[in-house]
């Protein structure tokens, strides 16, 4: 916007900005927002993110204003004085048939980051759905921040679609009727549309809490989704029983005395069974409800978890689409707060304050699973690691050099340990990015192996040379600091 305005503010002129709008058939979404600027001021602006195929904006421009503006620049005035006079030919007709006064300058509408999250992925999903020929979406709704964000984005999509229909856009109505396969369907509210095309299921186990179950149900009601609440304990137990039959051994959770390998395996089987059940429900729920078609499965893993690899391979992060896969956890929390007030989903406010947890381990009096404890790092730290790794192109040593200044309040050894921990988990989990679900591209440190981060997926997780260099650097800096303190005490 500043580039467009400054181009005409310096030299005068009329700038017609036309941008593509819609999904490119992949992970990008072009946001439209056509504009007309004259002499550094905006005269017309289209919508940024909308479900319309095409938007046309118009403005009346007085060319004499441009001529006058350019003449006000002394250097241009001298050049114009030496130039040949261009003859003006008066005519008694108008090419446009427009007799209106020139358009007045307007204040540009600039979206908040929370609004860009609310509208961008929503439009991307709608474009994908109508072009893919699906009958709607299916989402495993856990009641946590990530799946709740995804659900809220589908709600935002339904709101935008219904608004376009009410504004008289016939193309959107045709698309809706083709998606639901009902030529007479006319949604009067976003909830009515959501009930036809959005299906959610809470897949609980004995490790799930009443709080997440209630949040999932409440949010589904606010959006209008067709919601199911099921327990998958029977199929989890069946898998564990089968394993015991095959091997003669029965794994146990860590809190029950099991090893780390057993603990992870018991968590992963829950996550993977949810993915299998998701695709079964996505295929048959339309049939169950007397509808036609199939549902596209939505994933809900954020970009920070993908970077760290904090996800089970082929669990609910494996889906057809992931609208939040390019958005960091911090931005998602801010979006949830905004959406709780502006999208009409107040239950989202309670999601933000809840501790992020996978709820895959038993809850005891002395132990409640926490994502950040499991990861060994905070989501805020992951955002910093991501930007330094991808945007600043830092390896382990140079990331340490930058972070020792950013985190100057921490001991050098602590900073070094954090960097080593991040690169260890990043490298051992990098293989998961080869099968990551296609996600809406929003963050410049996306680790998507298929398009935005074309790096190897097999690393030496020991990082022998780099970690040794960090250790030497810590020792050298510590020695320098000790000598400096000794001198100052003399």
């Amino acid at each position: 916007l500043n580039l467009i305005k400054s181009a005409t503010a310096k030299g005068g002129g009329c700038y017609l900005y036309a941008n593509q709008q819609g999904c490119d058939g992949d992970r990008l979404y072009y946001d439209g927002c056509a504009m007309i600027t004259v002499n550094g001021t905006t005269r017309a602006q289209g919508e940024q993110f909308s479900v319309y195929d095409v938007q046309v904006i118009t403005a009346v421009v007085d060319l004499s204003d441009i001529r006058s503006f350019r003449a006000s620049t002394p250097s241009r005035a001298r050049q114009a004085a030496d130039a040949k006079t261009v003859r003006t030919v008066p005519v008694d007709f108008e090419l446009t048939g427009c007799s209106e006064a020139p358009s007045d300058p307007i204040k540009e509408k600039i979206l908040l980051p929370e609004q860009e999250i609310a509208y961008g992925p929503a439009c991307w999903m709608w474009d994908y759905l109508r072009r893919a020929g699906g009958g709607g979406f299916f989402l495993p709704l856990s009641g946590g921040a990530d799946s709740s964000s995804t659900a809220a984005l589908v709600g935002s999509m339904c709101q935008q679609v219904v608004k376009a229909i009410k504004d008289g856009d016939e193309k959107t109505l045709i698309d809706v009727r083709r998606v639901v396969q009902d030529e007479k369907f006319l949604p009067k509210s976003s909830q009515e549309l959501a009930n036809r095309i959005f299906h959610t299921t809470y897949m609980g186990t004995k490790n799930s809490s009443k709080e997440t179950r209630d949040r999932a149900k409440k949010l589904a009601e606010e959006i209008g989704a067709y919601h199911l609440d099921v327990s998958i304990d029977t199929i989890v137990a069946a898998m564990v029983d089968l394993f015991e039959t095959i091997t003669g051994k029965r794994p146990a959770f860590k809190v029950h005395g099991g090893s780390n390998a057993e603990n992870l395996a018991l968590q992963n089987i829950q996550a993977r069974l949810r993915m299998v059940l998701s695709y079964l429900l996505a295929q048959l729920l339309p049939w169950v409800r007397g509808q036609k078609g199939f549902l596209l499965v939505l994933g809900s893993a954020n970009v920070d978890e993908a970077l760290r690899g904090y996800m089970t391979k082929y669990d609910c992060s494996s889906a057809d689409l992931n609208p939040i896969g390019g958005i960091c956890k911090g931005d998602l929390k801010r979006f949830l707060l905004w959406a709780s007030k502006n999208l009409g989903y107040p239950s989202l406010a309670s999601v933000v304050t809840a501790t992020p947890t996978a709820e895959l381990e038993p809850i005891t009096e002395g132990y409640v699973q926490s994502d950040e404890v499991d990861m060994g790092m905070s989501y805020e730290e992951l955002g910093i690691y991501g930007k330094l790794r991808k945007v600043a192109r830092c390896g382990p040593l140079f990331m340490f050099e930058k972070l020792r200044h950013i985190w100057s309040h921490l001991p050098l050894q602590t900073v070094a340990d954090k960097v080593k921990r991040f690169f260890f988990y990043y490298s051992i989990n990098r293989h998961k990015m080869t099968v990551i679900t296609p996600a809406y591209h929003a963050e410049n440190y996306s680790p998507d192996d298929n398009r935005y981060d074309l790096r190897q997926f097999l690393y030496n997780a020991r990082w022998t040379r780099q970690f040794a260099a960090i250790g030497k650097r810590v020792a050298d800096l510590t020695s320098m600091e000790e000598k400096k303190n000794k001198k100052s005490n003399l």
Side-chain angles (χ1 to χ4, degrees), residues 170-188:
E170 294 184 4
K171 179 66 170 63
T172 301
L173 179 58
I174 292 171
D175 287 336
V176 168
R177 288 174 171 171
R178 187 175 69 251
V179 168
V180 302
Q181 298 190 41
D182 183 349
E183 291 300 318
K184 296 182 180 180
F185 182 64
L186 180 62
K188 296 181 176 61

Side-chain angles (χ1 to χ4, degrees), residues 26-27 82 121 136 160 255 270 276 278 290-291 319 347 355 377 387 425 427 484:
D26 200 0
R27 296 158 175 81
D82 296 334
Q160 293 184 71
V255 295
Q270 296 171 67
V276 174
S278 293
Q291 299 175 1
S347 65
T355 301
M377 57 196 74
K387 290 182 175 67
Y425 283 110
S427 57
K484 182 180 177 181

Side-chain angles (χ1 to χ4, degrees), residues 294-313:
F294 61 93
L295 304 178
L296 294 169
V297 178
L298 295 177
S300 53
N302 63 66
V303 70
D304 294 329
E305 291 173 347
L307 179 68
R308 162 62 172 73
Y310 185 64
M311 59 179 67
T312 301
K313 199 172 187 179

Side-chain angles (χ1 to χ4, degrees), residues 96-325:
T96 61
C98 177
S99 59
E100 298 179 17
S103 301
D104 293 325
I106 63 170
K107 183 175 178 59
E108 302 88 1
K109 182 179 180 182
I110 301 175
L111 298 182
L112 298 170
E114 294 84 353
Q115 290 175 300
E116 291 193 355
I117 294 174
Y119 305 141
C123 292
W124 180 70
M125 285 191 291
W126 175 247
D127 220 359
Y128 196 103
L129 176 63
R130 68 192 183 96
R131 290 165 61 181
F137 292 116
F138 176 85
L139 172 68
L141 183 56
S142 70
D146 294 335
S147 64
S148 295
S149 296
T150 300
L153 291 175
V154 178
S156 173
M157 180 198 78
C158 292
Q159 291 182 18
Q160 293 184 71
V161 169
V162 171
K163 179 181 180 298
I165 292 173
K166 289 182 177 180
D167 289 343
D169 185 46
E170 294 184 4
K171 179 66 170 63
T172 301
L173 179 58
I174 292 171
D175 287 336
V176 168
R177 288 174 171 171
R178 187 175 69 251
V179 168
V180 302
Q181 298 190 41
D182 183 349
E183 291 300 318
K184 296 182 180 180
F185 182 64
L186 180 62
K188 296 181 176 61
S189 67
S190 62
Q191 286 80 7
E192 184 181 357
L193 176 60
N195 188 260
R196 287 292 293 268
I197 68 172
F198 189 32
H199 303 68
T200 59
T201 300
Y202 181 85
M203 303 181 190
T205 68
K206 56 188 177 183
N207 303 319
S208 304
S209 66
K210 181 179 183 300
E211 289 76 16
T212 54
R213 186 184 303 271
D214 291 344
R215 287 200 300 266
K217 181 181 178 182
K218 181 63 176 175
L219 179 57
E221 289 174 353
E222 291 172 350
I223 295 171
Y226 176 86
H227 183 68
L228 297 174
D229 186 334
V230 303
S231 171
I232 63 170
D233 282 327
T234 53
I235 54 176
V236 173
M239 290 297 295
V240 176
D241 289 343
L242 176 62
F243 177 84
E244 185 177 15
T245 301
I246 296 170
T247 65
K249 290 192 173 184
R250 191 174 186 86
F253 283 105
K254 179 175 59 180
V255 295
H256 297 151
S259 65
N260 186 56
E262 295 171 69
N263 195 61
L264 284 176
L266 289 174
Q267 292 183 69
N268 287 342
I269 194 60
Q270 296 171 67
R272 290 191 173 110
L273 286 172
R274 284 175 175 145
M275 186 272 289
V276 174
L277 181 58
S278 293
Y279 273 94
L280 177 63
L281 291 171
Q283 193 167 6
L284 292 181
L285 274 181
W287 168 72
V288 169
R289 301 184 65 195
Q291 299 175 1
K292 298 177 182 179
F294 61 93
L295 304 178
L296 294 169
V297 178
L298 295 177
S300 53
N302 63 66
V303 70
D304 294 329
E305 291 173 347
L307 179 68
R308 162 62 172 73
Y310 185 64
M311 59 179 67
T312 301
K313 199 172 187 179
Y314 303 117
D315 69 346
C316 283
S317 63
S318 298
D320 297 313
L321 291 176
N322 184 357
I324 68 166

